[in-house]
Amino acid sequence: MSGDALSQDPAEFQRRIDSGKAHPARVYDVLLGGKDHYPADLSAAAAGLAANPRGYLDVRHNRDFLRRAVNELVTDDGIRQFLDIGTGLPTAENVHQIAQRVAPESRVVYVDNDPVVLAHARALLTGGPEGRTDYLDADLKDPAAILERAAKTLDFDRPIALCLVAVLHFVEGEEAYPIVRELVGALPSGSRVVLSHLTEDLNPESIRAVQRTYTERGFTFVLRTRAQVERFFAENSLDVVDPGVVPVHHWRPDHAAPVPERPEASYLEGLDPIERVRYEDIDDVTDADINVYGAVAAKG
């Protein structure tokens, strides 16, 4: 892995870590069954799960939407470059693993601003010998800096897939739209945008309960309507591909989500609900479980 973010003083990254305060990337890691988090993150995730006991399905199906989208973009659309903003902690499978398995020459730039994410990215997000994988320590709210630094790895004269997956709901109100406009404006013709976003359209009671638990912990947690999500595409003259803006589990399902190996029932019974999440199968999802829209669009 390369990138100027990786050359910074490790002591500075350590100083930036506030292990006593929950962070969205680390809470997400808990709900994906990961282990790279602190007690504050576990507490926040457990509170969210208490508010919506099947809320882990939003997180897991959002991740599976990304898997399907990246696989189709590489396999069917010939995309070989990805800019993934709001990467979160590395977890199987990451964008570069999906892309480089099909096309080893694929290039991926990951962007996040959590030092814990950076520490793990440095160790785990390494591409194959033919492709290239980079990580930028940068903020979504500074798109100019992201684009400038991403250009060291990506060729902005060739199509790029911009991934904004479960990240825009951390940006307040109108501020999100000019950010997306600047990012999409830098993409060449033939590029794609992969976007997912939390909403209260589908199951408002359950997602509002989760929203309360996280806003109490200082998170920005914006729920946008379908029309507000569609605006990200319409304002940028993007052509949304079939099936459009839909709940993520309905976006071209292939029923190939990884199924965790489950331990003995006696062991599971001794776990707290939040600890059992890592062993849950997500194939029993219903429309009443999902509060995330997903879509893929093309830039003409």
Side-chain angles (χ1 to χ4, degrees):
M1 175 172 301
S2 62
D4 50 4
L6 302 186
S7 65
Q8 295 187 30
D9 184 357
E12 171 62 16
F13 285 115
Q14 190 63 40
R15 184 193 64 77
R16 285 171 49 195
I17 297 174
D18 182 357
S19 61
K21 181 179 178 181
H23 187 282
R26 302 193 301 261
V27 172
Y28 195 78
D29 176 70
V30 175
L31 294 170
L32 284 172
K35 300 179 180 180
D36 301 315
H37 48 260
Y38 296 104
D41 308 305
L42 185 64
S43 175
L49 197 66
N52 179 15
R54 286 173 66 81
Y56 65 89
L57 289 166
D58 274 334
V59 173
R60 297 270 297 279
H61 274 280
N62 176 74
R63 188 75 188 184
D64 200 54
F65 158 70
L66 176 63
R67 174 188 65 81
R68 299 192 304 276
V70 170
N71 189 66
E72 288 208 14
L73 291 181
V74 177
T75 303
D76 299 339
D77 297 341
I79 299 295
R80 297 293 182 266
Q81 302 189 103
F82 293 83
L83 177 57
D84 182 5
I85 302 178
T87 305
L89 282 151
T91 184
E93 284 191 308
N94 301 290
V95 170
H96 76 280
Q97 293 170 314
I98 301 165
Q100 291 177 359
R101 182 167 54 244
V102 177
E105 71 276 17
S106 298
R107 294 188 168 204
V108 179
V109 172
Y110 294 104
V111 181
D112 210 295
N113 66 344
D114 175 32
V116 175
V117 172
L118 173 63
H120 288 83
R122 183 173 8 206
L124 299 176
L125 298 181
T126 55
E130 297 177 58
R132 185 174 173 187
T133 305
D134 201 1
Y135 182 93
L136 302 182
D137 174 26
D139 194 325
L140 172 62
K141 294 182 180 180
D142 190 358
I146 291 173
L147 293 168
E148 179 184 359
R149 293 164 62 189
K152 297 177 181 178
T153 299
L154 305 178
D155 180 357
F156 277 77
D157 291 326
R158 296 172 51 236
I160 295 169
L162 170 65
C163 300
L164 297 168
V165 175
V167 66
L168 290 170
H169 48 246
F170 298 120
V171 182
E172 292 280 10
E174 289 297 307
E175 185 181 3
Y177 294 98
I179 290 172
V180 174
R181 190 179 312 123
E182 185 168 353
L183 290 168
V184 172
L187 301 177
S189 177
S191 292
R192 302 292 192 273
V193 175
V194 181
L195 188 152
S196 67
H197 201 295
L198 284 168
T199 183
E200 60 182 350
D201 287 356
L202 305 173
N203 300 289
E205 185 174 344
S206 62
I207 194 61
R208 286 173 186 159
V210 173
Q211 182 187 41
R212 284 192 296 272
T213 67
Y214 290 147
T215 54
E216 288 169 358
R217 288 164 171 78
F219 291 6
T220 298
F221 204 82
V222 180
L223 304 174
R224 290 188 170 92
T225 65
R226 179 173 178 173
Q228 289 171 320
V229 173
E230 289 174 337
R231 183 180 159 193
F232 287 115
F233 302 108
E235 283 192 353
N236 294 290
S237 301
L238 296 170
D239 297 321
V240 180
V241 304
D242 288 337
V245 176
V246 296
V248 285
H249 64 307
H250 288 313
W251 196 90
R252 303 187 182 185
D254 61 7
H255 308 290
V259 178
E261 185 175 340
R262 289 176 67 86
E264 295 292 331
S266 58
Y267 175 77
L268 284 175
E269 289 169 2
L271 298 179
D272 290 335
I274 194 64
E275 296 173 319
R276 287 199 293 270
V277 162
R278 73 178 68 238
Y279 303 112
E280 298 290 355
D281 182 357
I282 67 172
D283 286 334
D284 64 344
V285 66
T286 70
D287 289 350
D289 295 318
I290 297 299
N291 301 282
V292 187
Y293 283 130
V296 175
K299 182 173 180 178

